[in-house]
Each structure stands twice: as structure tokens, then as C-alpha cells.
């Protein structure tokens, strides 16, 4: 990453300091510099190029060669050369740097309180890019001609805004406007001060940010948060908050040193942190869970909004349920009608939609739930060079991935492919990825599920070859790529659902896999989902299925005692549904087992979003402990072996009947899974001799499960790999699909 990060000025200063002549220029393959002068000066220059880089620059390789002396006298920065294929990496958007921040609040500075202040070390990047190379003319800043003062900064190699493409000031740059719900400008000389007043009095504001609009309310006002929830039809899903600074953050959540580093990094993700009881944040922000999603301000506008009045603002992606984040002013006005009371907008276009990234810290690394703004399009370095592939991802939390040489470029988070808006975004993202990688791979990878939107899209694209990849194999391959490992591994892929080649929904999978093949060594025992899709929204149905498996024909009595069914008659009805196999698919998904157990212990009968029951089960287990329950590994001749949790379910029911504490039960359930995963891994090691275990799938976003499994496997002598830069959930699928397809091509499969 050497474009748009002040790399050429850095080289310029280095050359001038060493008294060298020559030039530096952006090229499609990176940056090229020619220098001439005494040998010692050239050596010192070369050594310097590898050190003290500008904060956003990232250099993967430095090559040098001797050329004929040209007898130059000065050192110049030469215009970009757009010829040939681009191989230069576009940088992600970066949070306002400390230098800009102090200017923002300095009354003597000409950019005092200017909400679009930026420099070579900070500001918008990916989200304002139309095409490469990264020059102002190719960004949404093209329509703001620089004023003489800004132009002088832009041209002065000694200035910290030298070649800062989004450079702007009050005179020449973008401006804010405050609009009412009808889209008419509000009469105010200071839109920020008025916006702050409106938020203070409990209004819902739509605020245009870096990668899209946020919906915002004062996080301390319970009634304002509830109003936002009811208007957005988002009754329970936790909302993220933006907190003024670290000092305020510590009043609201517990923050470790690793978590603080992540919170304050220029990438500024939302970090999931443990709530402190009785903080100023309204309970309605994240009801029923022990965590809160917190981020720090990352644009000058955020700093200005939070500086004086608020400790924390709710900042949730402005969209309707399941739709992608809004980016355009007019689109936002239309789509957020009836939700936002006012719109704080500006006239710098967002060209690339980019949601906030979300992560938590575990096992010493950030674990991504969503990798988007601040990280995209920074590529992942692969272990080997692979053939070019485009992978289209899955159905939920979709991303795309393009492989180019030694790099994997994963797209911004696209989301769930259920709405026409999401499908448009899917196409937008595809075009973007091809443009910024300047490539159009003819090998396309997709999921095995015939009904996924991405699978259908793959068939409609012109391609040399389409390679469908099994969902859980892709999870394991993505984690392998994330750790730069290849060869045979033991893969634990744990999630809600993914299409299995046997036609069932898989999701509790113990695989022997490498980057081209996999074998299903074992799986969680199949569960009937009575009512199919309905069971996913009503986990009490899964609890019934669990009891029926654990108790055989006598399940009804237990179900009645646990108040899962009102009477014998409903039990008979269920028996019929399950026996007739109508609307009763089979699932080995660990996510479904979590849902069922949450319902069994009376945590909730219904869920309003995917993973809700599992999140709450984890939340109440946090801080409790207890012995594991029994489980069984059932061998099966020639078939994959089966991990059966029926004994655990029976033990749990006994505990429930004895009125044991639910947090303890939840903790014991986690403990049981950790032991079962270890026992299965040991069985796989005995059978194959393998000792590397790879953990992937959305269930490993459960911190207790992830850290518990890692610790226990390590104690048992395994090398354990979890995700580092890519989400364990379906957001990581595209990377796994791409690596599998490319490895198959490379090996001639
Ligand atoms: Zn800056
Ligand atoms: Zn200006
Ligand atoms: Fe999955």
C-alpha cells in the first residue's frame, strides 16, 4: 500500500535528506524511484525505504538495480503512470489522525471545526474511489477544485498534505447541510450545533458518514432508543454506540490493553466489550446481552458531534431490516422516511458502500464478525501464488473474493442476499472488486447450494469454469488461508447451516481436509427441525426435537413439565409432523443445537434475529462454571461417526427439574461441547495421525467456545488455528471458496 498514503513525499524527503537526485513515480506495479549520488548516500536511502514508513503505508517488497547515471541535479515527484495492469493496493479509509484532530479544535487554524479535514495520514480512501490509479480526478473529490491555499499544500513536498487527494478546506471543500424529514434545508448557520440540539431533545438523526448513513440517537435516552427501535423494526438486536473518547468508554465497558489497541487503531472497528452495570447507556441499546458494541469517532464530523454534549451516541447502519446500508442523499431520504426526523448530509459522494467493521478480542487476536470499513480492500497475503479466481460467497453475510497472484482481496460486507437492494449491492461489489484489482478472473467459485443467489449469479456470469464448493470445506480452507497453512488438517466447522452433499443441512462438521478435498469424519447427530424454517425462528420446536431424540417415545411428559408444550394433544401433533417427515428437514448445525438448548432451559421460545438464542446462552454462561455433561461418539461402519448429545440433554433436564441455576447449566453446556470437540479431534488424530486442528464457522464467534476449545486442544498436544484477519462466519466463505477453486486448478483437479 503505497498510493494515497504519503509514500512519494516520504521517498522525496528521504532522497533530499541524503542529497540525491532523481525522481519517484506511482506505477501500476507500485512505486518506482531512480536516485543518483554517492554510494553511501544511495545505501542510506535504500535502508531508509524499508523503515519509518508513513503510518498507512505497507511495503511487501523492495527491489533495486543499478542503471546508467543521468547527471540529474534535483529530485522530483513525477505524475502517475496509468499504463499497464495495476498491481497497487488501494488503502482502506482511516480515522482522523492526531495532527488533524488538534487543528480541528484550534480556533486559530483555518480548518477550525471543518468537518472534512484530512491529510496524507488520514481520511476517506476506498469509499471515495471511482477507479484506479488513486488520484483526485478519480475520486468523488474531483468536483471540488482546490483553492490556492489547499493547492499550495498539495504541491509542497514538505507539507503534511502533499498529494493528499481528498485535501479540502472550508473555502473549497464539501459542506454539510441539515435537512428535515421532507428533505428541505433547516435554516441554521451551524448545522452541527443544531444537530446536537436535536439529538439532545431525543430526535432520530440520519447522519452521512464515510461508507454510508448512520441512524443516531442519544444513547443515554431510553425513550429515544426505543423510538428508533420501533421505527426501524429492530426490537431486540443490539445497537452499536460511538463513545466520545477512551475515558468515556471506560465508564461504559471494560477494556483490556488489546481491546484498547483495537478501539483506537486508525481502522476504528466496532469492538464488542463487556458492559459495566448501571452506566449511562440505556438498557434498550443492547437488551439481554452482556456485551456492547463500541467504537470511537473516526471522522471529523463524529468528533464535532460528540465533543461537548454526549458521552455516547447510538450509531447504527441506516437501513431497513436486511437491506444494505444507504449511501446516497436522495436514496437515504426515501428509504429512511418515517425513521429519521432529520438528515445531516453533505455533498461529497460515497462511491463505495462500506459498513462499520465489527470485532472482538480473543486468543490474542481480533476476531472479526464483520470485516469492512477500515480494513477493506487491504488484501490478505497468501502462502503461495495462485491462479486468478473470483469467488461469490454464500447467502448470508456475503462477501466476494478475488485472488490475484499472492494476494486475496475480500470485498466489503454485502450482507444477506434476501432483498433486491442487496442484489444490486452484490453487482456493485462485483464491479468494484474487478476495478480495484484490475482483473476479471474466468474461474468462478460459489457455494454448493443450488438455490443461493450467489450460485445462480455464478451461472449467469460468463466463465471458463464454475467450481461449486461445499460450505464447511470453504470455512476450513478460509481459516487455513488466514493462517497461511496448507496440507491435511483436522477441520472443525461449526455454524448454523450450510448445504450438505447428502441434501441435509450441515453445520456441526468434523472434517479431514486440505485445500482441494475433504472427507466427513463425523458430525453432530442430525436433528429434525419440525416446521423447517419456522423452527429457526421458534427454537422451542428444536427443544422438542432434542427431547424426542433423548427420551424416545416418552418425550411428551418431559416437554410438558418444562412447559414447552401445553398438553398431550400438541405433543401428538408434533409426533405426527416429525413422523410424516413433512416440513421436517434434518440438520447437524451446532447453531440449531444452541437454539434448542436455549429454549430448553427457558431462555427464550422465539428469536427475532439469527444467533440471538446462542448469544444469550453465551451471555448467561459468562462467569459461571461447572462440570461437563456426558456425551457419546457413535461409530458407524463406513459412514461418518456421530456426536450424540442426548446424554447431555437428559442430564440437563435432571438439573432443570432440580431447579439448578441456569447460568451454571449454560456454562456446563459450553464445557460439554469443548470436551466433545477435543474427544472428536483425538479420535481423528488416532485415525489419521494429523495433529493440526483448524477452527471455523460462525459458532466460533462464541468467545467461551473459541477460547475453551483452543486451550483444551493445546493441552491435548494439538497445533490449533483460529481466524485472524477474516471472519469465522459466512463473511469468510468467499476466501475459502477462492482458495479451494484456485488450488484445484493449480493441481489440475
Ligand atoms: Zn490527518
Ligand atoms: Zn481549500
Ligand atoms: Fe457457515
Amino acid at each position: 500500500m503505497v498510493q494515497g498514503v504519503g509514500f512519494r513525499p516520504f521517498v522525496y524527503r528521504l532522497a533530499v535528506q541524503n542529497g540525491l537526485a532523481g525522481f519517484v513515480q506511482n506505477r501500476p506495479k507500485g512505486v518506482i524511484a531512480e536516485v543518483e549520488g554517492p554510494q553511501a548516500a544511495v545505501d542510506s536511502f535504500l535502508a531508509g525505504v524499508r523503515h519509518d514508513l508513513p503510518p498507512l503505508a505497507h511495503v511487501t517488497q523492495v527491489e533495486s538495480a543499478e542503471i546508467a547515471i543521468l547527471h540529474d541535479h534535483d529530485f522530483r515527484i513525477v505524475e502517475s503512470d496509468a499504463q499497464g495492469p495495476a498491481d497497487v493496493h488501494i488503502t482502506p479509509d482511516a480515522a482522523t489522525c492526531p495532527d488533524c484532530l488538534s487543528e480541528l479544535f484550534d480556533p486559530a487554524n483555518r480548518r477550525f471545526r471543518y468537518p472534512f479535514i484530512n491529510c496524507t495520514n488520514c481520511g476517506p480512501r476506498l469509499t471515495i474511489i471511482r477507479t484506479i490509479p488513486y488520484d483526485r480526478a478519480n475520486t468523488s473529490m474531483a468536483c471540488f477544485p482546490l483553492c490556492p491555499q489547499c493547492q499550495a499544500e498539495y504541491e509542497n513536498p514538505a507539507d503534511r498534505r502533499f498529494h493528499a487527494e481528498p485535501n479540502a478546506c472550508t473555502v473549497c471543500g464539501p459542506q454539510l447541510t441539515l435537512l428535515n424529514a421532507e428533505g428541505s434545508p433547516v435554516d441554521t448557520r451551524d448545522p452541527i450545533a443544531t444537530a446536537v440540539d436535536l439529538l439532545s431533545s431525543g430526535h432520530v438523526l440520519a447522519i452521512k458518514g464515510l461508507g454510508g448513513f448512520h441512524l443516531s440517537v442519544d444513547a443515554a435516552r431510553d425513550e429515544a432508543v426505543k423510538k428508533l427501535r420501533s421505527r426501524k423494526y429492530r426490537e431486540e438486536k443490539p445497537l452499536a454506540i460511538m463513545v466520545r473518547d477512551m475515558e468515556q468508554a471506560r465508564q461504559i465497558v471494560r477494556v483490556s490493553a488489546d481491546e484498547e489497541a483495537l478501539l483506537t487503531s486508525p481502522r476504528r472497528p466496532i469492538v464488542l466489550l463487556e458492559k459495566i452495570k448501571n452506566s449511562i447507556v440505556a438498557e434498550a441499546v443492547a437488551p439481554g446481552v452482556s456485551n456492547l458494541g463500541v467504537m470511537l469517532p473516526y471522522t471529523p464530523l463524529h468528533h464535532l458531534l460528540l465533543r461537548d454534549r454526549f458521552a455516547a451516541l447510538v450509531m447504527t447502519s441506516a437501513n431497513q431490516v436486511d437491506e444494505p446500508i444507504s449511501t446516497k442523499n436522495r436514496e437515504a431520504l426515501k428509504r429512511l422516511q418515517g425513521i429519521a426526523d432529520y438528515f445531516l448530509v453533505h455533498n461529497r459522494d460515497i462511491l463505495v458502500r462500506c459498513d462499520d467493521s465489527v470485532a472482538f478480542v480473543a486468543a490474542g487476536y481480533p476476531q472479526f464478525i464483520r470485516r469492512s470499513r477500515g480494513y477493506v480492500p487491504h488484501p490478505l497475503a497468501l502462502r503461495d501464488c495462485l491462479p486468478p479466481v473470483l469467488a461469490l460467497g454464500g447467502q448470508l453475510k456475503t462477501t466476494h473474493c478475488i485472488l490475484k497472484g499472492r494476494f486475496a482481496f475480500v470485498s466489503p460486507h454485502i450482507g444477506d442476499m434476501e432483498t433486491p437492494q442487496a442484489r444490486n449491492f452484490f453487482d456493485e461489489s462485483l464491479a468494484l472488486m474487478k476495478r480495484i484489482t484490475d482483473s476479471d478472473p474466468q474461474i468462478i467459485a460459489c457455494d454448493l447450494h443450488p438455490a443461493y443467489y450467489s450460485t445462480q449469479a455464478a451461472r449467469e456470469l460468463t466463465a471458463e469454469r464454475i467450481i461449486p464448493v461445499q460450505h464447511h470445506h470453504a470455512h476450513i480452507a478460509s481459516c487455513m488461508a488466514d493462517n497461511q497453512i496448507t496440507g491435511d488438517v483436522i477441520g472443525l466447522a461449526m455454524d448454523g447451516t450450510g448445504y450438505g452433499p447428502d441434501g441435509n443441512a450441515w453445520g456441526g462438521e468434523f472434517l479431514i481436509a486440505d485445500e482441494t478435498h475433504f472427507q466427513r469424519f463425523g458430525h453432530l447427530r442430525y436433528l429434525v427441525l419440525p416446521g423447517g424454517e419456522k423452527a429457526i425462528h421458534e427454537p422451542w420446536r428444536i427443544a422438542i426435537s432434542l427431547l424426542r431424540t433423548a427420551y424416545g417415545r416418552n418425550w411428551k411428559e418431559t416437554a410438558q413439565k418444562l412447559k414447552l408444550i401445553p398438553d398431550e394433544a400438541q405433543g401428538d401433533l408434533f409426533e405426527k409432523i416429525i413422523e410424516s417427515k413433512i416440513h421436517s428437514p434434518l440438520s447437524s448445525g451446532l447453531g440449531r443445537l444452541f437454539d434448542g438448548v436455549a429454549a430448553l432451559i427457558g431462555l427464550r421460545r422465539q428469536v427475532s434475529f439469527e444467533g440471538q438464542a446462542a448469544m444469550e446462552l453465551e451471555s448467561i454462561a459468562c462467569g459461571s462454571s461447572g462440570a461437563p455433561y456426558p456425551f457419546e461418539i457413535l461409530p458407524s461402519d463406513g459412514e461418518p461417526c456421530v456426536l450424540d448429545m442426548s446424554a447431555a440433554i437428559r442430564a440437563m433436564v435432571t438439573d432443570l427439574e432440580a431447579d439448578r441455576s441456569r447460568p451454571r447449566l449454560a456454562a456446563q453446556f459450553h464445557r460439554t461441547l469443548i470436551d466433545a470437540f477435543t474427544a472428536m479431534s483425538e479420535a481423528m488424530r488416532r485415525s489419521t495421525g494429523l495433529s493440526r486442528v483448524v477452527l471455523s464457522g460462525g459458532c466460533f464467534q462464541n468467545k467461551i467456545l473459541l477460547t475453551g476449545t483452543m486451550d483444551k486442544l493445546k493441552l491435548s498436544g494439538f497445533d490449533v488455528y483460529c481466524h485472524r484477519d477474516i471472519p469465522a462466519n459466512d463473511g469468510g466463505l468467499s476466501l475459502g471458496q477462492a482458495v479451494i477453486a484456485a488450488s484445484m486448478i493449480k493441481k489440475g483437479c
Side-chain angles (χ1 to χ4, degrees):
M1 291 199 307
V2 288
Q3 291 195 5
V5 293
F7 193 77
R8 286 177 304 164
F10 158 72
V11 172
Y12 174 92
R13 281 191 296 271
L14 200 60
V16 172
Q17 273 164 22
N18 285 293
L20 296 168
F23 70 88
V24 58
Q25 184 186 30
N26 279 342
R27 288 276 176 90
K29 288 250 166 223
V31 160
I32 187 161
E34 284 186 17
V35 292
E36 59 179 273
Q39 186 66 51
V42 173
D43 290 343
S44 139
F45 171 83
L46 264 177
V49 164
R50 293 163 201 267
H51 299 290
D52 311 319
L53 295 176
L56 301 180
H58 187 79
V59 172
T60 44
Q61 206 180 356
V62 179
E63 281 175 27
S64 62
E66 283 194 25
I67 54 170
I69 287 182
L70 298 173
H71 302 290
D72 273 343
H73 295 291
D74 57 351
F75 194 89
R76 287 159 299 132
I77 292 178
V78 179
E79 276 311 298
S80 297
D81 172 4
Q83 303 301 305
D87 225 4
V88 165
H89 304 160
I90 303 283
T91 50
D93 303 272
T96 310
C97 74
D99 289 341
C100 286
L101 200 56
S102 65
E103 287 184 7
L104 181 65
F105 290 108
D106 172 7
N109 192 277
R110 70 187 191 93
R111 290 189 180 86
F112 177 57
R113 292 181 66 84
Y114 179 57
F116 302 93
I117 186 171
N118 67 78
C119 72
T120 24
N121 295 337
C122 74
R125 295 290 185 277
L126 173 73
T127 53
I128 57 165
I129 281 175
R130 189 163 279 124
T131 188
I132 48 168
Y134 176 66
D135 279 330
R136 190 175 178 99
N138 290 333
T139 71
S140 57
M141 289 301 293
C143 59
F144 298 101
L146 290 161
C147 71
Q149 264 180 297
C150 286
Q151 184 74 38
E153 293 167 341
Y154 185 86
E155 285 169 6
N156 176 8
D159 194 281
R160 66 185 193 86
R161 293 195 170 88
F162 176 71
H163 273 260
E165 304 300 345
N167 189 23
C169 75
T170 324
V171 176
C172 67
Q175 301 294 336
L176 281 178
T177 318
L178 184 65
L179 305 173
N180 64 19
E182 284 74 48
S184 316
V186 174
D187 186 22
T188 170
R189 289 190 50 192
D190 188 343
I192 294 171
T194 311
V196 166
D197 287 342
L198 289 167
L199 284 165
S200 288
S201 52
H203 289 92
V204 178
L205 261 70
I207 298 171
K208 189 174 182 179
L210 215 44
F213 275 76
H214 281 123
L215 283 166
S216 186
V217 291
D218 181 352
R221 292 178 72 120
D222 204 50
E223 78 287 355
V225 178
K226 284 182 178 147
K227 181 161 71 180
L228 172 60
R229 279 194 180 283
S230 72
R231 289 184 187 174
K232 214 187 163 198
Y233 304 110
R234 182 160 161 165
E235 298 296 340
E236 290 170 313
K237 200 169 181 177
L239 302 168
I241 59 170
M242 185 176 275
V243 176
R244 187 193 301 151
D245 49 28
M246 273 315 297
E247 195 187 318
Q248 284 303 325
R250 284 197 196 89
Q251 309 292 314
I252 296 169
V253 282
R254 272 176 241 292
V255 193
S256 71
D258 284 344
E259 289 165 339
E260 178 169 349
L262 191 58
L263 265 179
T264 55
S265 87
R267 298 165 178 277
R268 293 287 155 102
I270 295 171
V271 183
L272 297 184
L273 298 162
E274 194 194 334
K275 280 185 205 169
I276 289 175
K277 289 214 168 68
N278 304 321
S279 78
I280 55 117
V281 173
E283 177 59 25
V285 169
V289 289
S290 52
N291 282 342
L292 206 52
V294 173
M295 61 183 149
L296 292 178
Y298 57 85
T299 69
L301 176 58
H302 295 153
H303 285 286
L304 292 164
L305 285 170
L306 278 146
R307 181 76 164 197
D308 301 319
R309 199 82 61 89
F310 309 106
L313 287 171
V314 166
M315 282 282 197
T316 180
S317 291
N319 49 12
Q320 295 277 18
V321 175
D322 295 334
E323 286 181 6
I325 188 166
S326 305
T327 54
K328 300 202 169 51
N329 294 354
R330 229 171 300 147
E331 173 198 338
L333 274 166
K334 207 170 111 212
R335 280 174 55 192
L336 303 176
Q337 208 170 43
I339 300 180
D341 298 314
Y342 293 91
F343 294 79
L344 187 55
V345 302
H346 57 73
N347 54 350
R348 185 181 73 200
D349 284 340
I350 298 171
L351 298 179
V352 177
R353 225 179 273 270
C354 220
D355 283 85
D356 292 318
S357 296
V358 185
F360 63 94
V361 175
Y365 297 105
Q367 299 287 320
F368 287 95
I369 289 172
R370 186 163 71 206
R371 178 188 183 269
S372 221
R373 194 238 337 126
Y375 294 88
V376 173
H378 189 51
L380 194 80
L382 301 170
R383 192 184 134 121
D384 306 301
C385 258
L386 288 174
V389 168
L390 163 66
L392 299 181
Q395 180 78 351
L396 304 175
K397 305 179 178 70
T398 306
T399 57
H400 298 149
C401 176
I402 285 184
L403 296 192
K404 190 176 183 189
R406 261 200 68 210
F407 293 102
F409 294 83
V410 181
S411 76
H413 164 83
I414 302 166
D416 299 353
M417 304 307 309
E418 316 275 301
T419 61
Q421 285 83 357
R423 290 163 189 198
N424 288 340
F425 185 17
F426 183 94
D427 296 336
E428 255 175 51
S429 160
L430 215 54
L432 168 80
M433 294 310 289
K434 289 181 180 179
R435 214 159 53 227
I436 61 173
T437 57
D438 196 26
S439 69
D440 188 5
Q442 292 304 300
I443 308 293
I444 295 182
C446 62
D447 196 87
L448 207 56
H449 200 305
Y452 277 7
Y453 178 77
S454 51
T455 311
Q456 292 166 1
R459 282 193 224 107
E460 284 161 25
L461 294 167
T462 50
E464 214 171 274
R465 186 169 162 194
I466 296 173
I467 302 181
V469 177
Q470 201 281 323
H471 189 105
H472 302 95
H473 186 203
H475 272 309
I476 298 304
S478 91
C479 188
M480 290 171 69
D482 210 348
N483 287 281
Q484 295 197 332
I485 61 168
T486 56
D488 284 323
V489 299
I490 293 170
L492 273 51
M494 299 294 149
D495 66 1
T497 187
Y499 188 82
D502 62 358
N504 294 324
W506 289 16
E509 306 306 315
F510 300 88
L511 309 178
I512 309 288
D514 66 9
E515 55 281 8
T516 53
H517 292 90
F518 78 95
Q519 182 207 334
R520 195 185 198 195
F521 181 90
H523 60 86
L524 261 179
R525 180 164 176 176
Y526 279 126
L527 260 182
V528 183
L529 304 183
E533 192 66 16
K534 238 182 175 170
I536 292 170
H537 304 290
E538 299 176 7
W540 61 273
R541 292 166 176 269
I542 301 177
I544 282 178
S545 189
L546 283 173
L547 290 179
R548 194 176 168 274
T549 312
Y551 289 90
R553 299 226 163 259
N554 302 324
W555 68 271
K556 281 175 260 180
E557 200 186 315
T558 314
Q560 258 175 283
K561 256 194 265 170
L562 296 175
K563 299 197 176 72
L564 285 166
I565 49 169
D567 50 34
E568 187 81 21
Q570 195 173 15
D572 293 338
L573 183 67
F574 262 91
E575 193 68 46
K576 256 186 224 148
I577 295 177
I578 294 171
E579 284 289 315
S580 67
K581 298 194 170 111
I582 299 167
H583 298 305
S584 296
L586 294 179
S587 165
S588 62
L590 178 62
R592 299 291 89 81
L593 178 63
F594 263 97
D595 289 346
V597 168
L600 194 71
I601 70 171
L603 217 48
R604 58 171 50 247
R605 283 176 68 86
Q606 309 208 335
V607 292
S608 59
F609 61 93
E610 203 229 3
Q612 184 178 16
M615 264 171 60
E616 290 176 358
L617 200 60
E618 179 188 0
S619 269
I620 67 160
C622 205
S624 281
S625 62
Y629 291 120
F631 59 87
E632 275 179 290
I633 297 173
L634 311 172
S636 167
D637 231 6
E639 295 283 311
C641 65
V642 169
L643 174 59
D644 186 358
M645 307 299 278
S646 295
I649 299 295
R650 286 190 296 268
M652 228 180 279
V653 169
T654 309
D655 276 357
L656 278 169
E657 286 171 346
D659 215 16
R660 292 266 163 75
S661 103
R662 279 157 211 223
R664 194 182 145 93
L665 253 73
Q668 286 177 273
F669 171 67
H670 280 83
R671 201 67 249 166
T672 313
L673 287 173
I674 292 161
D675 278 17
F677 290 172
T678 309
M680 281 294 275
S681 302
E682 284 164 351
M684 292 164 90
R685 179 168 58 189
R686 281 195 297 277
S687 146
T688 61
L690 298 172
S691 63
R692 293 187 299 174
V693 184
V694 171
L695 308 178
S696 189
C699 292
F700 283 113
Q701 291 178 163
N702 178 318
K703 202 167 169 173
I704 303 176
L705 199 59
L706 175 67
T707 51
T709 305
M710 291 195 76
D711 291 347
K712 181 113 193 180
L713 285 171
K714 281 181 191 160
L715 270 179
S716 183
F718 289 100
D719 295 323
V720 194
Y721 300 88
C722 66
H723 281 276
R724 296 166 166 222
D725 291 318
I726 296 295
N729 63 30
D730 288 5
L733 278 183
S734 63
L735 171 68
Q737 292 170 347
V739 168
I740 290 169
S743 305
M744 286 174 69
I745 298 290
K746 197 174 180 180
K747 287 190 187 169
C749 319

